[in-house]
Amino acid sequence: MRLAALLATASLALSTSTLTRDVVILGGGSTGTYAAVQLRSQDKTVALVEKKDKLGGHAETIYLPDDQYVNYGIEGFFNNDLTKTYFSQLDVDYEALLPGSLLTNYVDFRTGKPALPGDGILDTITGLLLYRAAIAQFDSLSTGAYYLPDPIPEVLLRPFHEFVSAHALQGALTLIFEFAENVGDLLNTPLLYVIQNFGIPQIDALLNGGYIRPKNGTDTLFNKAATYIGPENIFSSTTAISTSRNETGVEVLVQNTNGTQTLIRANSLLITFPPTLSNLAFLDLSSTEQSLFSKWTHMQYYAATITNTGLPDGINIANVNPDNQPGSLPLPPFQWELEYSGVPGYFMTKIVAPANFTAEDAKQLIVDNLRSMRDAGTYDTTQDPEIAAFASHSPETLMVGVEEIREGFYDKLHGLQGKRSTYYTGYTWCTDYSTPLWNFTDAVVGMMHL
Ligand SMILES: Cc1cc2nc3c(=O)[nH]c(=O)nc-3n(C[C@H](O)[C@H](O)[C@H](O)COP(=O)(O)OP(=O)(O)OC[C@H]3O[C@@H](n4cnc5c(N)ncnc54)[C@H](O)[C@@H]3O)c2cc1C
Ligand SMILES: *[C@@H]1O[C@H](CO)[C@@H](O)[C@H](O)[C@H]1NC(C)=O
Ligand SMILES: *[C@@H]1O[C@H](CO)[C@@H](O)[C@H](O)[C@H]1NC(C)=O
Ligand SMILES: *[C@@H]1O[C@H](CO)[C@@H](O)[C@H](O)[C@H]1NC(C)=O
Ligand SMILES: *[C@@H]1O[C@H](CO)[C@@H](O)[C@H](O)[C@H]1NC(C)=O
Ligand SMILES: *[C@@H]1O[C@H](CO)[C@@H](O)[C@H](O)[C@H]1NC(C)=O
């Protein structure tokens, strides 16, 4: 036993190279990449560790012939100063994000038959203003971070349908669902999580300038960022396998899929992916971290690009469930929408489902739904649609029970920042949109002792 341990240590010492950096960042999605760029711009040294073979996280672009592409993950960013400053830092050209089509048909995907949308649908601006007025009272949530009012108003913990009735928001439900569909059963989700998925930051972006996107695909942003950060600072296809943390610094042992290990010593550690116990199995967890991170529930979220469907180009097909009132919104597991991509023949779609719904289940649901539209005579869909690209974004929409929230879960969560030189960002800490996440990340980076 003792000998084996010694030998293991010795072989580690032989094959492991050691690096020293100001900050080691785990996760090269939107927030981890942004943090690395900002730290580099402040002349700090970083190591950015990403599990996949490229940066981007929820950003996914499929490139097609003739310079065409489909962004089937992140489609766009708020058209505001923060986004534009970041794009100019990286020399990213951009353009307005416009929908592939404005025409939407409504179909009950359970039967494949045409159906009516929810009652009394308001036009976008009216719906936005009505909903904004109703939620503006929760001032502390306005940046998108999970900074809860103190005391926590009970209404934030009640199911959203009560708030809908109290503020006559029935006509805005279709719109709210366009942004907060990832919560799953919208009407029975606590108001807090609806606001956190579609709140003041998203509404104000829609009202003031809309969205922009990098030219030639969201991937372009991450390719430019990788160049800026420097390939020698990026560890892709790599995960952390153990850590040792104290108030003066951290040591993170990482391993490439090819078996190569590197020991990174840093003043600070920034964790950017959802802090679930399974994601953090490598971490020397404190009892507080262990206890908080065991509380999450989440949704499964899958995104795909499909082709050879037989669907007519230029329409979106929204899934409605007339049995679920008000709003006729589908219930999990559901395929959210078939969205025309703007590229002839290509549609984008998303699946929102409970935790036990696998990628194979999701692919099957896409095929089954197209088949039922054909069987019902609604569209002349083909026998053999092709899933051109598919990605799992799970775990998505991390939530905790209302009892936990009432007992101060989010205060305790934010209280972890800086403990044992460890900091956190990402969509469990702030609303799941890149621009407000970058703003939150700036604040977290500002807290670090570098
Ligand atoms: C389909 C889809 C579409 C979206 N569209 C938009 C949009 O149009 N606009 C918008 O602003 N937001 C959009 N979002 C929200 C999006 O999640 C956020 O904008 C943002 O990408 C979240 O960034 P993040 O860094 O928090 O997480 P992620 O982007 O998920 O980054 C986390 C990274 O950590 C990596 N990772 C995980 N585990 C490990 C590990 N153990 N070790 C190392 N690395 C690890 C992951 O591979 C990933 O790259 C969309 C989300 C989805 C799912
Ligand atoms: C950005 O974050 C800061 C706090 O760090 C906050 O004061 C500011 O309002 C945020 N900006 C936006 C646009 O939310
Ligand atoms: C767009 O990006 C893709 C992938 O990086 C690249 O292959 C292609 O040449 C680019 N197209 C243009 C027009 O820049
Ligand atoms: C923190 O850990 C490092 C090694 O990882 C060690 O050298 C240092 O003495 C520790 N500091 C404290 C205050 O425990
Ligand atoms: C393994 O990956 C590392 C990057 O982490 C790289 O430097 C090294 O060359 C790779 N080794 C082999 C044998 O491919
Ligand atoms: C998931 O669990 C639910 C019960 O919570 C069950 O009804 C359902 O069949 C399960 N789905 C799958 C795909 O296993």
Side-chain angles (χ1 to χ4, degrees):
M1 190 60 193
R2 173 166 281 260
L3 182 63
L6 275 175
L7 288 174
T9 315
S11 72
L12 197 74
L14 281 177
S15 67
T16 304
S17 55
T18 302
L19 297 175
T20 303
R21 292 287 192 272
D22 292 318
V23 184
V24 54
I25 301 168
L26 300 184
S30 194
T31 60
T33 301
Y34 179 84
V37 168
Q38 300 321 319
L39 285 160
R40 293 292 294 132
S41 80
Q42 296 160 26
D43 287 328
K44 303 298 175 196
T45 56
V46 300
L48 177 58
V49 179
E50 166 56 42
K51 181 165 70 172
K52 295 198 286 188
D53 61 3
K54 64 179 181 67
L55 302 181
H58 287 176
E60 302 272 3
T61 310
I62 172 177
Y63 288 92
L64 300 165
D66 303 324
D67 285 333
Q68 301 191 98
Y69 62 87
V70 176
N71 292 322
Y72 67 103
I74 297 180
E75 290 179 62
F77 303 92
F78 296 176
N79 180 14
N80 67 13
D81 286 345
L82 179 56
T83 303
K84 286 190 278 196
T85 303
Y86 185 38
F87 284 6
S88 73
Q89 207 174 4
L90 298 177
D91 194 22
V92 167
D93 285 337
Y94 58 87
E95 62 198 9
L97 169 65
L98 301 171
S101 168
L102 291 171
L103 184 67
T104 299
N105 292 351
Y106 295 87
V107 171
D108 184 342
F109 282 28
R110 298 170 306 166
T111 60
K113 292 184 181 150
L116 294 171
D119 283 340
I121 284 194
L122 296 167
D123 69 86
T124 304
I125 300 292
T126 310
L128 279 177
L129 292 177
L130 191 67
Y131 176 61
R132 193 189 191 291
I135 66 171
Q137 58 181 303
F138 307 112
D139 202 35
S140 69
L141 297 175
S142 68
T143 67
Y146 278 87
Y147 295 138
L148 272 61
D150 180 22
I152 300 170
E154 195 56 25
V155 61
L156 282 174
L157 308 182
R158 302 293 307 163
F160 185 52
H161 65 80
E162 295 181 7
F163 193 73
V164 170
S165 310
H167 294 268
L169 296 172
Q170 292 83 354
L173 280 170
T174 302
L175 170 71
I176 295 167
F177 197 64
E178 281 280 313
F179 288 83
E181 87 292 347
N182 56 305
V183 301
D185 181 357
L186 184 79
L187 294 177
N188 288 306
T189 296
L191 173 63
L192 171 67
Y193 288 115
V194 177
I195 293 176
Q196 286 304 94
N197 285 281
F198 185 47
I200 300 292
Q202 291 84 354
I203 297 169
D204 287 356
L206 289 170
L207 294 173
N208 310 320
Y211 285 65
I212 51 179
R213 63 177 195 175
K215 287 187 179 167
N216 198 30
T218 317
D219 272 9
T220 303
L221 172 68
F222 291 93
N223 294 337
K224 295 251 185 173
T227 305
Y228 188 100
I229 295 162
E232 69 284 10
N233 300 314
I234 299 174
F235 296 78
S236 48
S237 304
T238 300
T239 53
I241 55 174
S242 69
T243 54
S244 151
R245 300 174 291 154
N246 65 24
E247 296 307 324
T248 48
V250 300
E251 291 185 349
V252 182
L253 182 64
V254 303
Q255 181 170 312
N256 186 283
T257 47
N258 73 15
T260 306
Q261 295 188 346
T262 308
L263 182 68
I264 305 169
R265 291 207 173 93
N267 296 332
S268 300
L269 168 64
L270 178 64
I271 297 177
T272 72
F273 46 77
T276 59
L277 289 182
S278 62
N279 277 346
L280 294 180
F282 63 88
L283 201 69
D284 52 334
L285 287 168
S286 69
S287 58
T288 312
E289 287 167 332
Q290 171 81 31
S291 139
L292 294 174
F293 300 159
S294 67
K295 305 289 195 242
W296 303 116
T297 62
H298 75 271
M299 300 300 292
Q300 298 291 89
Y301 198 91
Y302 302 101
T305 309
I306 53 177
T307 190
N308 192 33
T309 58
L311 294 171
D313 283 336
I315 57 159
N316 304 312
I317 305 169
N319 184 359
V320 289
N321 175 351
D323 297 335
N324 185 26
Q325 294 304 329
S328 296
L329 305 175
L331 290 167
F334 62 85
Q335 182 178 5
W336 173 43
E337 199 174 68
L338 282 156
E339 188 183 355
Y340 179 58
S341 70
V343 177
Y346 287 84
F347 288 79
M348 298 184 285
T349 196
K350 314 229 162 84
I351 305 286
V352 180
N356 62 356
F357 205 78
T358 66
E360 288 314 308
D361 296 333
K363 290 177 187 169
Q364 193 61 50
L365 186 62
I366 293 171
V367 172
D368 289 349
N369 285 341
L370 285 168
R371 182 173 302 134
S372 58
M373 290 176 202
R374 182 181 67 235
D375 292 348
T378 308
Y379 298 106
D380 194 11
T381 56
T382 61
Q383 300 281 354
D384 50 356
E386 183 198 329
I387 296 180
F390 183 90
S392 170
H393 297 280
S394 313
E396 247 289 331
T397 326
L398 280 88
M399 299 183 273
V400 298
V402 295
E403 273 313 313
E404 299 294 341
I405 302 172
R406 206 178 276 123
E407 284 163 19
F409 177 87
Y410 283 100
D411 268 0
K412 293 179 212 161
L413 193 68
H414 289 295
L416 295 176
Q417 295 285 16
K419 292 273 151 56
R420 290 197 293 158
S421 309
T422 305
Y423 297 84
Y424 295 90
T425 184
Y427 59 84
T428 24
W429 303 77
C430 182
T431 185
D432 194 0
Y433 269 75
S434 279
T435 312
L437 277 169
W438 295 335
N439 190 50
F440 179 76
T441 302
D442 273 331
V444 174
V445 168
M447 291 162 69
M448 291 177 175
H449 302 289
L450 296 169

